[in-house]
Amino acid sequence: MSAFQVHSENQDCGKLVKKTKKKLYWRFKLLGCPPYSSTPAVCHELAMIHSFLSGKKNVFLDNRLVHSSATAEPSFHFSCTLGGGRLVTIDFDGGEASPVHRLRIDGREFGDLPFEGAGGGGGQ
């Protein structure tokens, strides 16, 4: 698999009570994969703004809104397919003792991906 983590942030950003809203940001690089192996590496940015009070969730891919929902459900799942058939998912289980947003690329957790430059992140 040719996916690399570049940067990530996780910040509390509620207006009055900071912990009532989260802004999550992931930047990653995907190298071309067969049959697109001649394709150069492409950097993507995925951001999510999640209000725990209203349940509103906005997901942005490369600065474009790609998902918006407002539900009080304790769980959330978002997935999309990027070039070369790469599956990107965000999962959130609010029922956990310590709720965590998880980003996966082709089934691998973002935090388990090698950092760009540690194994040939080349390109862009």
Side-chain angles (χ1 to χ4, degrees):
M1 170 194 288
S2 300
F4 299 89
Q5 57 178 302
V6 176
H7 179 74
S8 66
E9 291 180 33
N10 179 342
Q11 56 186 229
D12 296 323
C13 62
K15 202 177 273 187
L16 296 175
V17 179
K18 293 289 184 195
K19 293 211 176 266
T20 61
K21 186 183 277 188
K22 281 251 189 237
K23 181 174 183 183
L24 303 118
Y25 171 84
W26 299 275
R27 185 175 172 96
F28 54 94
K29 187 171 280 192
L30 300 176
L31 295 180
C33 57
Y36 309 100
S37 56
S38 63
T39 308
V42 178
C43 224
H44 292 283
E45 296 176 5
L46 193 64
M48 179 178 178
I49 299 171
H50 183 176
S51 170
F52 296 109
L53 291 178
S54 69
K56 187 171 184 177
K57 298 158 199 80
N58 288 326
V59 178
F60 299 85
L61 177 62
D62 298 330
N63 294 317
R64 287 175 300 173
L65 181 66
V66 292
H67 175 84
S68 183
S69 65
T71 176
E73 294 282 324
S75 299
F76 171 75
H77 175 81
F78 168 79
S79 65
C80 68
T81 304
L82 299 178
R86 312 304 287 275
L87 181 64
V88 176
T89 62
I90 298 174
D91 289 298
F92 173 76
D93 183 357
E96 296 180 11
S98 298
V100 175
H101 295 81
R102 290 188 173 84
L103 174 71
R104 291 184 179 89
I105 301 173
D106 291 335
R108 286 184 68 191
E109 294 243 5
F110 181 82
D112 293 339
L113 298 174
F115 280 94
E116 176 188 26
Q124 199 172 350

mmCIF file of all heavy atoms in Angstrom, residues 34-84:
data_model
loop_
_atom_site.group_PDB
_atom_site.id
_atom_site.type_symbol
_atom_site.label_atom_id
_atom_site.label_comp_id
_atom_site.label_asym_id
_atom_site.label_seq_id
_atom_site.Cartn_x
_atom_site.Cartn_y
_atom_site.Cartn_z
ATOM 1 N N PRO A 34 -1.523 0.243 -9.152
ATOM 2 C CA PRO A 34 -1.992 -0.384 -10.381
ATOM 3 C C PRO A 34 -3.507 -0.327 -10.483
ATOM 4 O O PRO A 34 -4.168 -0.494 -9.474
ATOM 5 C CB PRO A 34 -1.503 -1.832 -10.236
ATOM 6 C CG PRO A 34 -0.370 -1.756 -9.263
ATOM 7 C CD PRO A 34 -0.686 -0.602 -8.349
ATOM 8 N N PRO A 35 -4.062 -0.072 -11.663
ATOM 9 C CA PRO A 35 -3.355 0.135 -12.932
ATOM 10 C C PRO A 35 -2.899 1.571 -13.138
ATOM 11 O O PRO A 35 -2.568 1.971 -14.236
ATOM 12 C CB PRO A 35 -4.426 -0.228 -13.962
ATOM 13 C CG PRO A 35 -5.698 0.195 -13.306
ATOM 14 C CD PRO A 35 -5.507 -0.064 -11.825
ATOM 15 N N TYR A 36 -2.848 2.365 -12.073
ATOM 16 C CA TYR A 36 -2.475 3.774 -12.175
ATOM 17 C C TYR A 36 -1.069 4.033 -11.664
ATOM 18 O O TYR A 36 -0.751 5.122 -11.225
ATOM 19 C CB TYR A 36 -3.466 4.633 -11.367
ATOM 20 C CG TYR A 36 -4.911 4.343 -11.695
ATOM 21 C CD1 TYR A 36 -5.676 3.533 -10.878
ATOM 22 C CD2 TYR A 36 -5.479 4.865 -12.844
ATOM 23 C CE1 TYR A 36 -6.999 3.263 -11.194
ATOM 24 C CE2 TYR A 36 -6.814 4.599 -13.160
ATOM 25 C CZ TYR A 36 -7.553 3.795 -12.325
ATOM 26 O OH TYR A 36 -8.864 3.520 -12.636
ATOM 27 N N SER A 37 -0.194 3.058 -11.685
ATOM 28 C CA SER A 37 1.107 3.177 -11.040
ATOM 29 C C SER A 37 1.986 4.269 -11.629
ATOM 30 O O SER A 37 2.922 4.709 -10.999
ATOM 31 C CB SER A 37 1.839 1.838 -11.058
ATOM 32 O OG SER A 37 1.939 1.372 -12.381
ATOM 33 N N SER A 38 1.692 4.740 -12.830
ATOM 34 C CA SER A 38 2.493 5.820 -13.402
ATOM 35 C C SER A 38 1.989 7.190 -12.928
ATOM 36 O O SER A 38 2.585 8.214 -13.233
ATOM 37 C CB SER A 38 2.473 5.751 -14.929
ATOM 38 O OG SER A 38 1.142 5.934 -15.389
ATOM 39 N N THR A 39 0.890 7.208 -12.165
ATOM 40 C CA THR A 39 0.315 8.450 -11.656
ATOM 41 C C THR A 39 1.198 8.992 -10.533
ATOM 42 O O THR A 39 1.611 8.236 -9.661
ATOM 43 C CB THR A 39 -1.108 8.191 -11.111
ATOM 44 O OG1 THR A 39 -1.852 7.531 -12.114
ATOM 45 C CG2 THR A 39 -1.786 9.481 -10.732
ATOM 46 N N PRO A 40 1.482 10.303 -10.521
ATOM 47 C CA PRO A 40 2.303 10.852 -9.442
ATOM 48 C C PRO A 40 1.548 10.843 -8.107
ATOM 49 O O PRO A 40 0.328 10.692 -8.074
ATOM 50 C CB PRO A 40 2.569 12.289 -9.893
ATOM 51 C CG PRO A 40 1.463 12.610 -10.836
ATOM 52 C CD PRO A 40 1.075 11.311 -11.485
ATOM 53 N N ALA A 41 2.310 11.019 -7.031
ATOM 54 C CA ALA A 41 1.709 11.084 -5.699
ATOM 55 C C ALA A 41 0.762 12.278 -5.616
ATOM 56 O O ALA A 41 1.012 13.325 -6.209
ATOM 57 C CB ALA A 41 2.800 11.215 -4.649
ATOM 58 N N VAL A 42 -0.343 12.096 -4.909
ATOM 59 C CA VAL A 42 -1.332 13.161 -4.754
ATOM 60 C C VAL A 42 -1.581 13.376 -3.268
ATOM 61 O O VAL A 42 -1.800 12.419 -2.518
ATOM 62 C CB VAL A 42 -2.656 12.783 -5.458
ATOM 63 C CG1 VAL A 42 -3.700 13.866 -5.252
ATOM 64 C CG2 VAL A 42 -2.436 12.534 -6.941
ATOM 65 N N CYS A 43 -1.533 14.629 -2.855
ATOM 66 C CA CYS A 43 -1.798 14.984 -1.468
ATOM 67 C C CYS A 43 -3.279 15.333 -1.317
ATOM 68 O O CYS A 43 -3.839 16.006 -2.176
ATOM 69 C CB CYS A 43 -0.938 16.181 -1.088
ATOM 70 S SG CYS A 43 -0.187 15.997 0.500
ATOM 71 N N HIS A 44 -3.905 14.851 -0.246
ATOM 72 C CA HIS A 44 -5.307 15.150 0.033
ATOM 73 C C HIS A 44 -5.433 15.679 1.455
ATOM 74 O O HIS A 44 -4.659 15.303 2.335
ATOM 75 C CB HIS A 44 -6.182 13.902 -0.105
ATOM 76 C CG HIS A 44 -6.306 13.394 -1.491
ATOM 77 N ND1 HIS A 44 -7.116 13.988 -2.433
ATOM 78 C CD2 HIS A 44 -5.706 12.344 -2.107
ATOM 79 C CE1 HIS A 44 -7.024 13.316 -3.567
ATOM 80 N NE2 HIS A 44 -6.170 12.325 -3.394
ATOM 81 N N GLU A 45 -6.433 16.531 1.647
ATOM 82 C CA GLU A 45 -6.752 17.044 2.973
ATOM 83 C C GLU A 45 -8.186 16.653 3.296
ATOM 84 O O GLU A 45 -9.090 16.879 2.493
ATOM 85 C CB GLU A 45 -6.630 18.563 3.012
ATOM 86 C CG GLU A 45 -5.236 19.056 2.769
ATOM 87 C CD GLU A 45 -5.154 20.575 2.724
ATOM 88 O OE1 GLU A 45 -6.168 21.251 2.972
ATOM 89 O OE2 GLU A 45 -4.063 21.073 2.439
ATOM 90 N N LEU A 46 -8.378 16.067 4.455
ATOM 91 C CA LEU A 46 -9.706 15.694 4.914
ATOM 92 C C LEU A 46 -9.922 16.389 6.249
ATOM 93 O O LEU A 46 -9.073 16.312 7.134
ATOM 94 C CB LEU A 46 -9.791 14.177 5.078
ATOM 95 C CG LEU A 46 -11.164 13.569 5.264
ATOM 96 C CD1 LEU A 46 -12.019 13.784 4.019
ATOM 97 C CD2 LEU A 46 -11.050 12.079 5.534
ATOM 98 N N ALA A 47 -11.031 17.100 6.375
ATOM 99 C CA ALA A 47 -11.342 17.804 7.618
ATOM 100 C C ALA A 47 -12.758 17.458 8.034
ATOM 101 O O ALA A 47 -13.637 17.243 7.195
ATOM 102 C CB ALA A 47 -11.203 19.306 7.432
ATOM 103 N N MET A 48 -12.973 17.399 9.333
ATOM 104 C CA MET A 48 -14.304 17.128 9.862
ATOM 105 C C MET A 48 -14.563 18.073 11.020
ATOM 106 O O MET A 48 -13.712 18.251 11.884
ATOM 107 C CB MET A 48 -14.411 15.689 10.346
ATOM 108 C CG MET A 48 -15.763 15.362 10.936
ATOM 109 S SD MET A 48 -15.838 13.632 11.419
ATOM 110 C CE MET A 48 -17.467 13.583 12.122
ATOM 111 N N ILE A 49 -15.736 18.680 11.012
ATOM 112 C CA ILE A 49 -16.173 19.509 12.127
ATOM 113 C C ILE A 49 -17.385 18.808 12.724
ATOM 114 O O ILE A 49 -18.356 18.532 12.027
ATOM 115 C CB ILE A 49 -16.518 20.933 11.680
ATOM 116 C CG1 ILE A 49 -15.278 21.588 11.078
ATOM 117 C CG2 ILE A 49 -17.046 21.754 12.860
ATOM 118 C CD1 ILE A 49 -15.534 22.913 10.415
ATOM 119 N N HIS A 50 -17.301 18.488 14.018
ATOM 120 C CA HIS A 50 -18.321 17.675 14.684
ATOM 121 C C HIS A 50 -18.805 18.396 15.933
ATOM 122 O O HIS A 50 -18.043 18.611 16.861
ATOM 123 C CB HIS A 50 -17.712 16.319 15.048
ATOM 124 C CG HIS A 50 -18.675 15.370 15.681
ATOM 125 N ND1 HIS A 50 -18.317 14.085 15.992
ATOM 126 C CD2 HIS A 50 -19.966 15.487 16.066
ATOM 127 C CE1 HIS A 50 -19.345 13.460 16.547
ATOM 128 N NE2 HIS A 50 -20.346 14.304 16.607
ATOM 129 N N SER A 51 -20.065 18.792 15.938
ATOM 130 C CA SER A 51 -20.685 19.413 17.106
ATOM 131 C C SER A 51 -21.356 18.322 17.936
ATOM 132 O O SER A 51 -22.260 17.643 17.461
ATOM 133 C CB SER A 51 -21.731 20.449 16.681
ATOM 134 O OG SER A 51 -22.477 20.854 17.808
ATOM 135 N N PHE A 52 -20.906 18.173 19.167
ATOM 136 C CA PHE A 52 -21.492 17.151 20.035
ATOM 137 C C PHE A 52 -22.858 17.588 20.574
ATOM 138 O O PHE A 52 -23.670 16.747 20.934
ATOM 139 C CB PHE A 52 -20.544 16.822 21.188
ATOM 140 C CG PHE A 52 -19.248 16.210 20.719
ATOM 141 C CD1 PHE A 52 -18.069 16.919 20.792
ATOM 142 C CD2 PHE A 52 -19.222 14.939 20.176
ATOM 143 C CE1 PHE A 52 -16.880 16.370 20.348
ATOM 144 C CE2 PHE A 52 -18.041 14.379 19.727
ATOM 145 C CZ PHE A 52 -16.860 15.092 19.820
ATOM 146 N N LEU A 53 -23.131 18.878 20.602
ATOM 147 C CA LEU A 53 -24.421 19.369 21.084
ATOM 148 C C LEU A 53 -25.533 19.162 20.056
ATOM 149 O O LEU A 53 -26.582 18.614 20.364
ATOM 150 C CB LEU A 53 -24.333 20.849 21.461
ATOM 151 C CG LEU A 53 -23.492 21.175 22.693
ATOM 152 C CD1 LEU A 53 -23.459 22.676 22.927
ATOM 153 C CD2 LEU A 53 -24.041 20.460 23.920
ATOM 154 N N SER A 54 -25.301 19.595 18.830
ATOM 155 C CA SER A 54 -26.339 19.489 17.802
ATOM 156 C C SER A 54 -26.268 18.173 17.026
ATOM 157 O O SER A 54 -27.223 17.791 16.356
ATOM 158 C CB SER A 54 -26.211 20.652 16.810
ATOM 159 O OG SER A 54 -25.032 20.503 16.033
ATOM 160 N N GLY A 55 -25.130 17.498 17.081
ATOM 161 C CA GLY A 55 -24.944 16.279 16.300
ATOM 162 C C GLY A 55 -24.516 16.556 14.873
ATOM 163 O O GLY A 55 -24.334 15.642 14.079
ATOM 164 N N LYS A 56 -24.339 17.816 14.522
ATOM 165 C CA LYS A 56 -23.977 18.182 13.150
ATOM 166 C C LYS A 56 -22.541 17.750 12.842
ATOM 167 O O LYS A 56 -21.637 17.933 13.658
ATOM 168 C CB LYS A 56 -24.121 19.684 12.951
ATOM 169 C CG LYS A 56 -23.930 20.112 11.515
ATOM 170 C CD LYS A 56 -24.290 21.563 11.313
ATOM 171 C CE LYS A 56 -24.172 21.926 9.852
ATOM 172 N NZ LYS A 56 -24.563 23.283 9.597
ATOM 173 N N LYS A 57 -22.392 17.178 11.652
ATOM 174 C CA LYS A 57 -21.085 16.729 11.190
ATOM 175 C C LYS A 57 -20.885 17.204 9.760
ATOM 176 O O LYS A 57 -21.712 16.917 8.898
ATOM 177 C CB LYS A 57 -20.989 15.212 11.257
ATOM 178 C CG LYS A 57 -21.131 14.661 12.663
ATOM 179 C CD LYS A 57 -21.557 13.201 12.611
ATOM 180 C CE LYS A 57 -22.150 12.746 13.904
ATOM 181 N NZ LYS A 57 -23.550 13.135 14.088
ATOM 182 N N ASN A 58 -19.821 17.933 9.515
ATOM 183 C CA ASN A 58 -19.453 18.354 8.162
ATOM 184 C C ASN A 58 -18.099 17.753 7.826
ATOM 185 O O ASN A 58 -17.159 17.838 8.630
ATOM 186 C CB ASN A 58 -19.366 19.878 8.049
ATOM 187 C CG ASN A 58 -20.730 20.528 8.085
ATOM 188 O OD1 ASN A 58 -21.704 19.978 7.599
ATOM 189 N ND2 ASN A 58 -20.800 21.703 8.667
ATOM 190 N N VAL A 59 -18.004 17.155 6.651
ATOM 191 C CA VAL A 59 -16.749 16.563 6.191
ATOM 192 C C VAL A 59 -16.333 17.281 4.913
ATOM 193 O O VAL A 59 -17.141 17.444 3.992
ATOM 194 C CB VAL A 59 -16.896 15.045 5.926
ATOM 195 C CG1 VAL A 59 -15.592 14.463 5.402
ATOM 196 C CG2 VAL A 59 -17.346 14.322 7.193
ATOM 197 N N PHE A 60 -15.081 17.711 4.879
ATOM 198 C CA PHE A 60 -14.527 18.426 3.730
ATOM 199 C C PHE A 60 -13.371 17.615 3.158
ATOM 200 O O PHE A 60 -12.501 17.161 3.905
ATOM 201 C CB PHE A 60 -13.995 19.801 4.150
ATOM 202 C CG PHE A 60 -15.048 20.705 4.719
ATOM 203 C CD1 PHE A 60 -15.391 20.644 6.058
ATOM 204 C CD2 PHE A 60 -15.693 21.618 3.916
ATOM 205 C CE1 PHE A 60 -16.362 21.470 6.595
ATOM 206 C CE2 PHE A 60 -16.674 22.461 4.433
ATOM 207 C CZ PHE A 60 -17.008 22.386 5.779
ATOM 208 N N LEU A 61 -13.366 17.434 1.866
ATOM 209 C CA LEU A 61 -12.264 16.783 1.171
ATOM 210 C C LEU A 61 -11.653 17.807 0.234
ATOM 211 O O LEU A 61 -12.353 18.337 -0.641
ATOM 212 C CB LEU A 61 -12.751 15.552 0.393
ATOM 213 C CG LEU A 61 -11.694 14.830 -0.436
ATOM 214 C CD1 LEU A 61 -10.573 14.282 0.443
ATOM 215 C CD2 LEU A 61 -12.333 13.705 -1.243
ATOM 216 N N ASP A 62 -10.389 18.101 0.437
ATOM 217 C CA ASP A 62 -9.686 19.098 -0.378
ATOM 218 C C ASP A 62 -10.478 20.409 -0.440
ATOM 219 O O ASP A 62 -10.695 20.985 -1.502
ATOM 220 C CB ASP A 62 -9.397 18.552 -1.774
ATOM 221 C CG ASP A 62 -8.487 17.326 -1.723
ATOM 222 O OD1 ASP A 62 -7.655 17.235 -0.786
ATOM 223 O OD2 ASP A 62 -8.602 16.457 -2.590
ATOM 224 N N ASN A 63 -10.944 20.847 0.729
ATOM 225 C CA ASN A 63 -11.674 22.116 0.922
ATOM 226 C C ASN A 63 -13.061 22.156 0.292
ATOM 227 O O ASN A 63 -13.659 23.210 0.177
ATOM 228 C CB ASN A 63 -10.854 23.313 0.447
ATOM 229 C CG ASN A 63 -9.620 23.504 1.285
ATOM 230 O OD1 ASN A 63 -9.683 23.402 2.510
ATOM 231 N ND2 ASN A 63 -8.503 23.759 0.646
ATOM 232 N N ARG A 64 -13.602 21.007 -0.109
ATOM 233 C CA ARG A 64 -14.960 20.950 -0.643
ATOM 234 C C ARG A 64 -15.831 20.153 0.321
ATOM 235 O O ARG A 64 -15.442 19.062 0.745
ATOM 236 C CB ARG A 64 -14.991 20.267 -2.011
ATOM 237 C CG ARG A 64 -14.417 21.141 -3.124
ATOM 238 C CD ARG A 64 -14.372 20.355 -4.383
ATOM 239 N NE ARG A 64 -13.499 19.192 -4.080
ATOM 240 C CZ ARG A 64 -13.291 18.184 -4.872
ATOM 241 N NH1 ARG A 64 -13.870 18.133 -6.031
ATOM 242 N NH2 ARG A 64 -12.495 17.192 -4.536
ATOM 243 N N LEU A 65 -17.004 20.674 0.639
ATOM 244 C CA LEU A 65 -17.939 19.957 1.499
ATOM 245 C C LEU A 65 -18.423 18.714 0.765
ATOM 246 O O LEU A 65 -18.993 18.807 -0.323
ATOM 247 C CB LEU A 65 -19.129 20.855 1.857
ATOM 248 C CG LEU A 65 -20.174 20.237 2.777
ATOM 249 C CD1 LEU A 65 -19.602 19.960 4.152
ATOM 250 C CD2 LEU A 65 -21.380 21.166 2.878
ATOM 251 N N VAL A 66 -18.172 17.537 1.351
ATOM 252 C CA VAL A 66 -18.584 16.287 0.705
ATOM 253 C C VAL A 66 -19.633 15.543 1.520
ATOM 254 O O VAL A 66 -20.228 14.582 1.033
ATOM 255 C CB VAL A 66 -17.368 15.356 0.434
ATOM 256 C CG1 VAL A 66 -16.468 15.965 -0.622
ATOM 257 C CG2 VAL A 66 -16.611 15.040 1.711
ATOM 258 N N HIS A 67 -19.868 15.984 2.764
ATOM 259 C CA HIS A 67 -20.895 15.347 3.588
ATOM 260 C C HIS A 67 -21.346 16.315 4.666
ATOM 261 O O HIS A 67 -20.530 17.011 5.271
ATOM 262 C CB HIS A 67 -20.347 14.079 4.255
ATOM 263 C CG HIS A 67 -21.324 13.456 5.204
ATOM 264 N ND1 HIS A 67 -22.315 12.606 4.797
ATOM 265 C CD2 HIS A 67 -21.482 13.593 6.536
ATOM 266 C CE1 HIS A 67 -23.026 12.232 5.841
ATOM 267 N NE2 HIS A 67 -22.543 12.818 6.919
ATOM 268 N N SER A 68 -22.649 16.341 4.904
ATOM 269 C CA SER A 68 -23.202 17.133 5.993
ATOM 270 C C SER A 68 -24.391 16.381 6.562
ATOM 271 O O SER A 68 -25.247 15.912 5.808
ATOM 272 C CB SER A 68 -23.634 18.515 5.490
ATOM 273 O OG SER A 68 -24.101 19.297 6.564
ATOM 274 N N SER A 69 -24.418 16.230 7.867
ATOM 275 C CA SER A 69 -25.551 15.573 8.512
ATOM 276 C C SER A 69 -25.732 16.151 9.903
ATOM 277 O O SER A 69 -24.817 16.724 10.477
ATOM 278 C CB SER A 69 -25.331 14.052 8.589
ATOM 279 O OG SER A 69 -24.232 13.756 9.420
ATOM 280 N N ALA A 70 -26.928 16.008 10.414
ATOM 281 C CA ALA A 70 -27.240 16.463 11.770
ATOM 282 C C ALA A 70 -28.100 15.396 12.416
ATOM 283 O O ALA A 70 -29.301 15.332 12.199
ATOM 284 C CB ALA A 70 -27.958 17.801 11.752
ATOM 285 N N THR A 71 -27.464 14.534 13.157
ATOM 286 C CA THR A 71 -28.175 13.466 13.844
ATOM 287 C C THR A 71 -27.572 13.278 15.228
ATOM 288 O O THR A 71 -26.368 13.475 15.410
ATOM 289 C CB THR A 71 -28.104 12.146 13.044
ATOM 290 O OG1 THR A 71 -28.729 11.120 13.803
ATOM 291 C CG2 THR A 71 -26.695 11.735 12.739
ATOM 292 N N ALA A 72 -28.381 12.927 16.176
ATOM 293 C CA ALA A 72 -27.913 12.721 17.546
ATOM 294 C C ALA A 72 -27.398 11.298 17.755
ATOM 295 O O ALA A 72 -27.047 10.932 18.867
ATOM 296 C CB ALA A 72 -29.031 13.031 18.524
ATOM 297 N N GLU A 73 -27.349 10.502 16.693
ATOM 298 C CA GLU A 73 -26.840 9.134 16.801
ATOM 299 C C GLU A 73 -25.450 9.149 17.433
ATOM 300 O O GLU A 73 -24.621 9.994 17.088
ATOM 301 C CB GLU A 73 -26.736 8.494 15.410
ATOM 302 C CG GLU A 73 -28.053 8.277 14.719
ATOM 303 C CD GLU A 73 -28.797 7.072 15.255
ATOM 304 O OE1 GLU A 73 -28.171 6.072 15.610
ATOM 305 O OE2 GLU A 73 -30.028 7.147 15.333
ATOM 306 N N PRO A 74 -25.150 8.200 18.325
ATOM 307 C CA PRO A 74 -23.831 8.184 18.959
ATOM 308 C C PRO A 74 -22.724 7.685 18.032
ATOM 309 O O PRO A 74 -21.555 7.895 18.287
ATOM 310 C CB PRO A 74 -24.007 7.237 20.146
ATOM 311 C CG PRO A 74 -25.160 6.370 19.769
ATOM 312 C CD PRO A 74 -26.048 7.201 18.892
ATOM 313 N N SER A 75 -23.105 7.041 16.923
ATOM 314 C CA SER A 75 -22.112 6.528 15.982
ATOM 315 C C SER A 75 -22.212 7.260 14.650
ATOM 316 O O SER A 75 -23.267 7.755 14.278
ATOM 317 C CB SER A 75 -22.315 5.036 15.745
ATOM 318 O OG SER A 75 -22.169 4.340 16.953
ATOM 319 N N PHE A 76 -21.087 7.288 13.932
ATOM 320 C CA PHE A 76 -21.025 7.971 12.645
ATOM 321 C C PHE A 76 -20.059 7.209 11.754
ATOM 322 O O PHE A 76 -19.004 6.743 12.201
ATOM 323 C CB PHE A 76 -20.528 9.407 12.847
ATOM 324 C CG PHE A 76 -20.229 10.123 11.560
ATOM 325 C CD1 PHE A 76 -21.248 10.598 10.751
ATOM 326 C CD2 PHE A 76 -18.920 10.333 11.157
ATOM 327 C CE1 PHE A 76 -20.975 11.258 9.565
ATOM 328 C CE2 PHE A 76 -18.635 10.998 9.978
ATOM 329 C CZ PHE A 76 -19.657 11.465 9.184
ATOM 330 N N HIS A 77 -20.418 7.088 10.468
ATOM 331 C CA HIS A 77 -19.538 6.456 9.478
ATOM 332 C C HIS A 77 -19.622 7.246 8.183
ATOM 333 O O HIS A 77 -20.712 7.569 7.713
ATOM 334 C CB HIS A 77 -19.950 5.004 9.225
ATOM 335 C CG HIS A 77 -19.164 4.357 8.137
ATOM 336 N ND1 HIS A 77 -17.900 3.837 8.349
ATOM 337 C CD2 HIS A 77 -19.435 4.172 6.833
ATOM 338 C CE1 HIS A 77 -17.445 3.357 7.203
ATOM 339 N NE2 HIS A 77 -18.358 3.549 6.267
ATOM 340 N N PHE A 78 -18.477 7.572 7.628
ATOM 341 C CA PHE A 78 -18.397 8.243 6.337
ATOM 342 C C PHE A 78 -17.350 7.515 5.517
ATOM 343 O O PHE A 78 -16.290 7.126 6.026
ATOM 344 C CB PHE A 78 -17.972 9.711 6.505
ATOM 345 C CG PHE A 78 -17.587 10.361 5.201
ATOM 346 C CD1 PHE A 78 -18.546 10.818 4.322
ATOM 347 C CD2 PHE A 78 -16.242 10.473 4.842
ATOM 348 C CE1 PHE A 78 -18.195 11.389 3.112
ATOM 349 C CE2 PHE A 78 -15.879 11.048 3.639
ATOM 350 C CZ PHE A 78 -16.858 11.511 2.777
ATOM 351 N N SER A 79 -17.637 7.303 4.242
ATOM 352 C CA SER A 79 -16.622 6.711 3.366
ATOM 353 C C SER A 79 -16.707 7.329 1.981
ATOM 354 O O SER A 79 -17.773 7.790 1.555
ATOM 355 C CB SER A 79 -16.782 5.191 3.278
ATOM 356 O OG SER A 79 -18.001 4.849 2.672
ATOM 357 N N CYS A 80 -15.576 7.356 1.320
ATOM 358 C CA CYS A 80 -15.514 7.816 -0.070
ATOM 359 C C CYS A 80 -14.368 7.094 -0.758
ATOM 360 O O CYS A 80 -13.469 6.559 -0.107
ATOM 361 C CB CYS A 80 -15.346 9.333 -0.149
ATOM 362 S SG CYS A 80 -13.773 9.958 0.440
ATOM 363 N N THR A 81 -14.430 7.089 -2.065
ATOM 364 C CA THR A 81 -13.389 6.451 -2.858
ATOM 365 C C THR A 81 -12.632 7.528 -3.617
ATOM 366 O O THR A 81 -13.238 8.377 -4.274
ATOM 367 C CB THR A 81 -14.006 5.436 -3.851
ATOM 368 O OG1 THR A 81 -14.790 4.503 -3.110
ATOM 369 C CG2 THR A 81 -12.932 4.700 -4.608
ATOM 370 N N LEU A 82 -11.318 7.484 -3.501
ATOM 371 C CA LEU A 82 -10.469 8.441 -4.207
ATOM 372 C C LEU A 82 -9.875 7.769 -5.438
ATOM 373 O O LEU A 82 -10.067 6.574 -5.648
ATOM 374 C CB LEU A 82 -9.357 8.940 -3.285
ATOM 375 C CG LEU A 82 -9.839 9.672 -2.037
ATOM 376 C CD1 LEU A 82 -8.655 10.080 -1.173
ATOM 377 C CD2 LEU A 82 -10.653 10.892 -2.405
ATOM 378 N N GLY A 83 -9.135 8.529 -6.224
ATOM 379 C CA GLY A 83 -8.521 8.001 -7.441
ATOM 380 C C GLY A 83 -7.777 6.700 -7.203
ATOM 381 O O GLY A 83 -7.152 6.516 -6.170
ATOM 382 N N GLY A 84 -7.857 5.807 -8.152
ATOM 383 C CA GLY A 84 -7.199 4.517 -8.025
ATOM 384 C C GLY A 84 -7.967 3.550 -7.142
ATOM 385 O O GLY A 84 -7.468 2.510 -6.756
#
